[in-house]
Amino acid sequence: MLDGLLLLLLFQFLGEMLVTLTGLPIPGPVAGMVLLLIALTARSNVLQRIAPAANLLISNLVLLFFPIGVGIVLEWERYEAYGLALFMSVVVGTIVAMILVALLLKWLLRHNVA
């Protein structure tokens, strides 16, 4: 499992390096996820190495979001002026994402894409 976690961190680092060296206008972790996706499609053994670490991270995802909640509570006076806009963007963003996922699922099920 440790090698899987190190692989995940390596891809994040590679994404950061790619963004830093090329000046791409995307976050480094996103570039790392794209590199990881390429590696997963190119080599099947990568999935077997990172699966235990990824499953552990997913099962403890709440712990990864907890610091964000604490930060928002502690810095609430910064966000207070934009509270309604933040609330609306989160609610509308969630609804739009749910609709898009439902439509994509319907399309995939209709076309038997596996």
Side-chain angles (χ1 to χ4, degrees), residues 14-71:
L14 291 174
E16 292 284 355
M17 292 300 298
L18 179 68
V19 167
T20 301
L21 295 174
T22 62
L24 289 170
I26 59 173
V30 173
M33 283 193 296
V34 171
L35 292 174
L36 178 60
L37 176 65
I38 292 169
L40 287 171
T41 56
R43 300 180 56 97
S44 62
N45 66 339
V46 174
L47 177 62
Q48 293 153 352
R49 290 180 66 189
I50 66 165
N55 288 333
L56 180 69
L57 287 172
I58 288 171
S59 65
N60 294 301
L61 204 56
V62 172
L63 296 175
L64 300 175
F65 286 113
F66 187 73
I68 295 170
V70 171

Side-chain angles (χ1 to χ4, degrees), residues 3 5-6 9 25-26 33 36 42 48 54 56 62-63 79 82 90-93 95-96 101 108-109 114:
D3 63 331
L5 186 59
L6 289 174
L9 290 173
I26 59 173
M33 283 193 296
L36 178 60
Q48 293 153 352
L56 180 69
V62 172
L63 296 175
Y79 303 115
Y82 306 105
V90 168
V91 170
V92 171
I95 291 170
V96 168
V101 167
L108 288 172
L109 290 174

